[in-house]
Amino acid sequence: MNRKLIYFLVSIAYLILIAIGLYGVYTVEATLHVKETPVAEPQNKISIAHTEIFGKLERPQVIFDHGKHVEAMKAEGCAACHPVKKDNVISFDFPKKVKGKSKTDAMNAFHDECIECHKKQSSENKKSGPVTCADCHNKKNDKIKIKYPIAEFDFSYHDKHVRKLKEKIGKDDCGQCHHFYSLEEKKLVYKEGTEESCYYCHDLNKKRGPELTAITKVSAEKGLTIKNASHQQCLNCHLKYQKQGDKETGPTECIKCHTGKYKTVEELSKVSRPDRKQKDRIFISVENSKMKGVPFDHKNHEMTSKTCRSCHHETLKACKECHTLTGKPEGNGINLANAYHQVFSEHSCTGCHNKNKQTKECAGCHYAIPVMDVDSLNPKKDTCNTCHSGQKEKYSAAPIPMSSVEKVKKEIEIKVLENEYEPSKFPHLEVIKKLVKISNDNKMATYFHRNAKTLCEGCHHRSNISAEAQQDTPPNCKNCHMVAYDRKNPNKTRLLSAYHRQCVGCHDQMQIKKGSSFNFEEGDRCGACHKKKVGGPAEIITMKNDRVVKQNTTNIINVWHPE
Amino acid sequence: MDRRNFLKIFGSGVATAATGNLLNPAKTNASEDNQATEFYGILVDTTRCIGCRRCEKACAEANGLPVPDIDELTNKSVLEKMRRTSDTQYTIINRYDTEKGPIYVPKRCMHCNQPGCAAACLVKAMRKRPSGHVTWDANCIGCRLCMVSCPFDIPKFEYTKAMPRIQKCNLCYDRYKKGGIPACVEVCPTQVLVFGTRRQILEEGKRRIAADPDKYVNHIYGEYEVGGTSHLYLSSVPFEQIGFRKDLGTVPYPEYSTGFLFAVPFIFVLWPIAMLGINRATKKDDESGHGENHENKEHEKGKH
């Protein structure tokens, strides 16, 4: 009996071993294929698919034709579907009331309100909507994705509203739209000169500082996300004037605001900015600061951005109120120096200037210059001094005179690929003149490129002028870049590569057709610099693998051969 | 000497005697390999490539292949269509039109850390050298399993030849042995390619991404793909946009089969024993009495 049991146990153990082995061998990860549904034209339709409430949907989403319903319910008005709060303010929410908090309650609320109304309409012999499941939850809807582009209330709309409202009311009253929530009085108040952006309190997706968090908490409780708040604010006002028979009032249709078209900074440069009694010029200097003060032209910078928020990201207060010299919790621990100089931030001076340097005209030189404080730990003294002048008066920037560059070499011959091609002729002077012109045409460049030597550094990079004996002439490429491939240090750029990357890189960045790697026209690509050598190495035509093959006997010179 | 080694040597001895050292050419040139302690590889920075195709030309010259014409005019038409490596082209450049403009991508053997082709090869013609080079030897029997097992579609067979070979980039193994660098690396005018130990180029790739996070996507293709490769790619756009497969996973290809192959003898041996055991365990006592006598006696002894 004992032996039987051992037999049995051992064989079971073997079976388990086999099962585990098979399981380990044959379970291979499966790959997922997710198909994206393309975004359809909105056409005043709304997709009802509250995945934030329901999670994964049991039935296909509902595509709700809002335009059709507005047309049908014209007599009843918006209040037929949307709840009315106190002071006759319509909240553009749906459904009107949800009894509980569970999924079923939310689902029932939707179903009750839609189907009830449809039933009522048909009992009154009016044109009505569907009452059965699949008529709304149509399978076809799964292939539709509707997304409205964000409506941008830019400075031109702001300016228009300020002017029109002044005509209608007879005075400047920013309190029509602007308000803030007083935590002590627990209600909305308005004080002139403290207007701020809607996003500060109503954008609930962003983490805010301690003071604003208390306010956004209230917004969240009331369900006033930026979407709900702006619909409520804009549409109620538009509807009010519509009811009064005012023809010039703003739109109430979805696609009229959510156009998906946005104005550029250039288009907005003629529009005046909101007046909040801000100073045109500010001298930024902080007590106990190590650095000298910076004269800052606020008005100029207003014109170069689309919103106040692009710099004043949290409130419209001055930077130094939250970002102190040593940092404090209100400023997220970011100290003043970093607030101004953070390289990749969109709100800092350096970050925004870096972004500007990526434009076509500037990128030719600046793409190769490492951004401050990542690679160049020790920026030159002049670089700091450009802003930190310590003078209250702004430096009046003058364009670089053309006469100052006339002395440079007119043309330079490059012979690295001499065996194959004629020497390349680099129009040195012509290039510099073009760079001077670009610099002079740009306001920011004119301010920062104080003299012609700054422009030289675009190509003659990483030289340290103060350590050089000949301070007037920048170094040659050959002085640093070796001809041979350094196997011990393969990352070092050799001469051949230095030329190609510098020239082609700049042409690519500036989208200059000649000599760019993006260009495919014959003669303009490589031929822009390299002319085939007459009497160069002969091309032998041979037969190889049953096909005619051009055998070129060139030896690429100037590279290190191991043999 | 244990039994395994004995069998190995005995087997190879028989094979050598039988085939005249044809099946085992590795013995002849294994000495240089042993000096290498690290895999070598090439870092390919696709943001730098200008699509001049000089690497294609240099590759052909170095490997005795038909030298392509890389005039501007031919370049234009050649780059218009997508190409694959072929039996006469170890390396090719393709152009991909992406959101960041055209991007040129050199394509050649990735020299995987654990190559599928080498694992699939029946005669060890395809081998991973200690220096990282994946090379092909003439003892190939032409089964073309390496072509099937390559996730990057690289090895190519010379269908038109009487004595066909498998053709693919060997990271210029001959030049490496003489202390040289691959021909493509030597000739590249923009230093797209950096040749060094895998550790060295991986470090450089990471440095470039860290120094310019706006320019590069934060991924080095080949760092973990199919268990790591010796060719590492940097890109400014997501890799699937420039013709790289993202579904390969990080499991080395040989591992898919080694698990299975390991399990085969395991099951063959264990299954009969298990079945026999069950048979023994479930057999009724009186039924066993009909069997051989000595078994019955044993059974009775167990009872005592």
Side-chain angles (χ1 to χ4, degrees):
Chain A
M1 202 57 215
N2 242 348
R3 181 178 281 196
K4 245 186 175 181
L5 195 68
I6 290 168
Y7 271 137
F8 188 71
L9 284 180
V10 168
S11 53
I12 291 296
Y14 276 149
L15 277 181
I16 289 169
L17 260 177
I18 289 171
I20 290 171
L22 285 176
Y23 177 79
V25 170
Y26 293 109
T27 43
V28 182
E29 284 170 54
T31 45
L32 277 174
H33 294 281
V34 184
K35 263 190 185 172
E36 283 256 320
T37 38
V39 179
E41 279 276 304
Q43 296 174 321
N44 290 333
K45 287 178 184 165
I46 298 167
S47 112
I48 305 178
H50 290 275
T51 42
E52 80 279 4
I53 306 172
F54 301 115
K56 204 179 170 232
L57 299 180
E58 280 174 35
R59 283 199 163 248
Q61 61 167 337
V62 177
I63 301 295
F64 174 76
D65 196 332
H66 189 264
K68 230 177 182 178
H69 282 80
V70 169
E71 202 57 39
M73 307 301 279
K74 218 168 192 176
E76 286 89 343
C78 306
C81 300
H82 297 297
V84 181
K85 298 206 278 193
K86 61 176 180 185
D87 303 335
N88 269 340
V89 174
I90 300 168
S91 163
F92 292 93
D93 252 341
F94 189 84
K96 271 187 188 172
K97 210 170 188 185
V98 186
K99 273 170 197 159
K101 272 182 180 173
S102 73
K103 284 181 192 176
T104 352
D105 290 327
M107 184 183 81
N108 287 340
F110 272 101
H111 287 164
D112 288 350
E113 269 186 46
C114 293
I115 297 169
E116 214 94 310
C117 185
H118 287 176
K119 275 184 187 162
K120 202 179 123 201
Q121 290 279 346
S122 53
S123 70
E124 289 169 14
N125 282 334
K126 282 182 193 167
K127 216 179 159 191
S128 178
V131 289
T132 50
C133 308
D135 287 346
C136 289
H137 295 283
N138 198 326
K139 260 210 166 154
K140 281 181 197 164
N141 293 348
D142 266 350
K143 285 170 194 153
I144 303 170
K145 194 177 171 188
I146 290 177
K147 208 180 172 206
Y148 282 91
I150 288 170
E152 202 174 68
F153 189 78
D154 57 38
F155 286 139
S156 74
Y157 285 119
H158 190 273
D159 189 44
K160 208 171 156 191
H161 278 78
V162 170
R163 277 188 287 113
K164 293 277 161 169
L165 279 174
K166 198 178 179 185
E167 275 173 31
K168 278 173 187 165
I169 308 165
K171 57 169 184 174
D172 271 332
D173 185 9
C174 306
Q176 291 274 332
C177 302
H178 289 279
H179 51 243
F180 75 89
Y181 187 79
S182 161
L183 285 166
E184 290 93 42
E185 296 169 56
K186 302 221 162 157
K187 63 169 190 181
L188 294 179
V189 289
Y190 168 71
K191 200 178 144 215
E192 215 183 310
T194 59
E195 301 86 1
E196 303 213 329
S197 162
C198 317
Y199 281 86
Y200 294 150
C201 302
H202 291 291
D203 185 5
L204 307 178
N205 295 327
K206 225 173 131 185
K207 222 182 153 194
R208 307 263 178 205
E211 197 197 336
L212 275 172
T213 311
I215 296 176
T216 46
K217 218 175 150 190
V218 179
S219 304
E221 274 166 22
K222 294 187 177 174
L224 288 170
T225 58
I226 186 73
K227 178 187 154 199
N228 289 354
S230 29
H231 279 159
Q232 188 175 315
Q233 189 81 299
C234 301
L235 287 172
N236 272 314
C237 190
H238 290 178
L239 285 168
K240 187 179 102 189
Y241 285 105
Q242 220 174 51
K243 267 184 199 161
Q244 288 173 12
D246 198 332
K247 276 179 191 167
E248 260 190 54
T249 185
T252 50
E253 242 176 274
C254 309
I255 50 169
K256 286 274 168 66
C257 287
H258 297 274
T259 52
K261 286 176 200 152
Y262 305 114
K263 291 200 178 78
T264 59
V265 180
E266 285 76 43
E267 282 171 310
L268 291 171
S269 62
K270 284 159 201 155
V271 184
S272 68
R273 299 296 192 250
D275 182 20
R276 209 172 158 269
K277 308 277 176 300
Q278 67 267 42
K279 278 183 197 166
D280 284 353
R281 279 192 187 166
I282 299 160
F283 181 66
I284 304 171
S285 80
V286 186
E287 226 178 296
N288 294 330
S289 160
K290 275 217 146 199
M291 296 300 287
K292 289 179 204 160
V294 177
F296 178 70
D297 194 330
H298 193 271
K299 195 172 184 186
N300 237 337
H301 286 82
E302 277 174 27
M303 289 303 176
T304 53
S305 42
K306 273 175 92 175
T307 58
C308 303
R309 278 180 298 131
S310 41
C311 298
H312 296 276
H313 51 105
E314 190 104 335
T315 63
L316 284 182
K317 286 177 192 162
C319 310
K320 60 182 172 187
E321 283 185 40
C322 300
H323 302 290
T324 53
L325 281 175
T326 47
K328 62 176 182 178
E330 282 86 344
N332 215 356
I334 294 166
N335 57 22
L336 196 61
N338 275 308
Y340 286 130
H341 300 108
Q342 209 135 60
V343 182
F344 299 115
S345 168
E346 284 169 15
H347 313 301
S348 74
C349 305
T350 315
C352 192
H353 285 179
N354 275 339
K355 213 172 141 200
N356 273 326
K357 285 189 266 185
Q358 285 165 13
T359 51
K360 188 180 128 189
E361 286 78 17
C362 309
C365 293
H366 282 283
Y367 90 104
I369 300 172
V371 282
M372 258 233 289
D373 109 13
V374 170
D375 261 2
S376 60
L377 285 170
N378 298 310
K380 284 177 200 156
K381 196 177 149 198
D382 302 343
T383 315
C384 302
N385 281 358
T386 319
C387 294
H388 293 274
S389 64
Q391 257 126 43
K392 284 199 178 174
E393 272 310 299
K394 191 189 150 197
Y395 168 80
S396 53
I400 299 166
M402 277 295 177
S403 57
S404 65
V405 296
E406 297 284 349
K407 275 184 278 176
V408 300
K409 257 190 198 168
K410 209 175 163 200
E411 196 175 74
I412 293 169
E413 281 198 343
I414 301 168
K415 299 175 189 167
V416 187
L417 289 170
E418 211 177 17
N419 267 18
E420 279 173 83
Y421 301 102
E422 298 279 340
S424 305
K425 283 170 184 156
F426 175 64
H428 192 232
L429 179 63
E430 204 182 307
V431 167
I432 292 173
K433 274 187 173 171
K434 175 78 186 169
L435 290 180
V436 171
K437 193 179 170 287
I438 288 171
S439 169
N440 287 347
D441 285 351
N442 185 313
K443 224 173 175 179
M444 191 173 122
T446 314
Y447 188 80
F448 282 96
H449 301 156
R450 295 282 162 92
N451 58 46
K453 265 185 198 166
T454 320
L455 296 183
C456 299
E457 283 175 44
C459 293
H460 301 273
H461 53 164
R462 298 197 197 179
S463 69
N464 198 340
I465 292 176
S466 59
E468 281 165 15
Q470 293 177 317
Q471 300 210 342
D472 294 337
T473 48
N476 282 330
C477 305
K478 267 183 212 169
N479 293 150
C480 300
H481 296 284
M482 286 201 301
V483 170
Y485 188 97
D486 185 357
R487 206 176 157 180
K488 287 273 149 56
N489 186 5
N491 303 328
K492 202 159 183 174
T493 312
R494 58 191 174 132
L495 189 63
L496 177 76
S497 169
Y499 280 130
H500 277 102
R501 271 170 56 199
Q502 188 85 279
C503 299
V504 180
C506 178
H507 280 231
D508 276 355
Q509 293 294 330
M510 295 182 79
Q511 294 164 23
I512 298 165
K513 264 198 135 185
K514 265 194 174 182
S516 150
S517 69
F518 295 168
N519 182 20
F520 310 113
E521 300 304 314
E522 196 209 352
D524 269 5
R525 212 171 122 80
C526 306
C529 301
H530 301 291
K531 297 232 158 42
K532 264 267 157 76
K533 203 169 187 178
V534 185
E539 278 183 343
I540 307 158
I541 293 174
T542 53
M543 294 287 280
K544 210 169 194 179
N545 287 351
D546 307 327
R547 8 183 214 186
V548 180
V549 166
K550 272 188 196 169
Q551 183 84 44
N552 209 330
T553 54
T554 50
N555 278 320
I556 297 107
I557 58 133
N558 288 339
V559 290
W560 173 68
H561 280 287
E563 288 86 1
Chain B
M1 187 186 288
D2 60 2
R3 206 166 66 148
R4 183 179 247 262
N5 262 342
F6 169 76
L7 281 176
K8 227 179 182 176
I9 289 166
F10 179 74
S12 67
V14 171
T16 317
T19 59
N21 210 6
L22 194 75
L23 281 176
N24 210 358
K27 265 189 169 175
T28 51
N29 53 15
S31 55
E32 305 95 344
D33 282 355
N34 296 336
Q35 290 164 7
T37 50
E38 272 186 87
F39 285 173
Y40 278 83
I42 295 180
L43 177 70
V44 187
D45 190 339
T46 57
T47 61
R48 290 181 176 184
C49 186
I50 56 171
C52 68
R53 295 179 64 222
R54 280 170 79 85
C55 51
E56 288 187 26
K57 190 178 171 184
C59 177
E61 280 175 357
N63 291 298
L65 302 167
V67 177
D69 192 359
I70 58 162
D71 278 345
E72 274 177 84
L73 193 65
T74 24
N75 264 8
K76 193 191 165 191
S77 58
V78 161
L79 288 168
E80 261 162 16
K81 49 183 183 283
M82 285 295 148
R83 294 181 299 153
R84 299 153 67 202
T85 54
S86 75
D87 55 337
T88 53
Q89 291 159 309
Y90 288 177
T91 177
I92 41 122
I93 290 184
N94 276 332
R95 192 182 86 217
Y96 294 89
D97 291 313
T98 65
E99 70 213 37
K100 291 195 176 173
I103 291 178
Y104 300 95
V105 183
K107 192 185 176 189
R108 71 279 300 266
C109 175
M110 298 286 283
H111 297 273
C112 312
N113 286 354
Q114 294 186 49
C117 56
C121 190
L122 305 173
V123 290
K124 284 199 173 179
M126 203 64 93
R127 278 195 303 152
K128 178 80 174 170
R129 306 277 175 171
S131 52
H133 303 68
V134 177
T135 59
W136 176 88
D137 282 323
N139 62 331
C140 171
I141 55 169
C143 68
R144 282 160 285 154
L145 278 177
C146 50
M147 291 167 69
V148 185
S149 59
C150 179
F152 304 104
D153 180 31
I154 295 297
K156 290 287 143 57
F157 189 70
E158 288 179 323
Y159 286 101
T160 53
K161 288 247 177 107
M163 288 288 281
R165 294 171 294 176
I166 292 286
Q167 291 283 54
K168 76 169 213 32
C169 161
N170 55 15
L171 208 58
C172 284
Y173 188 56
D174 292 337
R175 290 166 65 100
Y176 164 77
K177 279 195 290 189
K178 288 173 195 158
I181 57 171
C184 50
V185 179
E186 191 174 280
V187 83
C188 181
T190 49
Q191 229 160 323
V192 176
L193 312 166
V194 173
F195 180 75
T197 61
R198 191 166 183 276
R199 191 167 47 94
Q200 209 173 9
I201 57 171
L202 194 57
E203 205 172 275
E204 169 68 7
K206 283 181 179 165
R207 188 196 65 77
R208 284 189 199 172
I209 291 173
D212 209 338
D214 277 357
K215 187 172 167 187
Y216 296 101
V217 290
N218 190 9
H219 183 75
I220 299 177
Y221 193 92
E223 187 181 4
Y224 298 117
E225 273 77 10
V226 296
T229 62
S230 275
H231 263 78
L232 302 173
Y233 282 82
L234 295 177
S235 169
S236 55
V237 295
F239 278 96
E240 50 271 33
Q241 288 180 28
I242 52 171
F244 284 92
R245 288 176 63 178
K246 270 305 205 39
D247 57 344
L248 293 177
T250 55
V251 181
Y253 262 41
E255 263 176 35
Y256 287 117
S257 57
T258 45
F260 174 81
L261 292 173
F262 176 73
V264 170
F266 191 65
I267 289 170
F268 265 91
V269 173
L270 289 188
W271 191 258
I273 297 175
M275 284 300 148
L276 192 71
I278 290 172
N279 177 274
R280 280 292 182 94
T282 52
K283 232 179 204 173
K284 280 180 188 167
D285 280 350
D286 51 322
E287 266 179 23
S288 62
H290 294 289
E292 294 92 341
N293 282 335
H294 67 272
E295 213 181 273
N296 202 12
K297 275 174 199 164
E298 258 183 36
H299 217 90
E300 277 173 3
K301 267 181 198 167
K303 276 182 181 175
H304 287 299

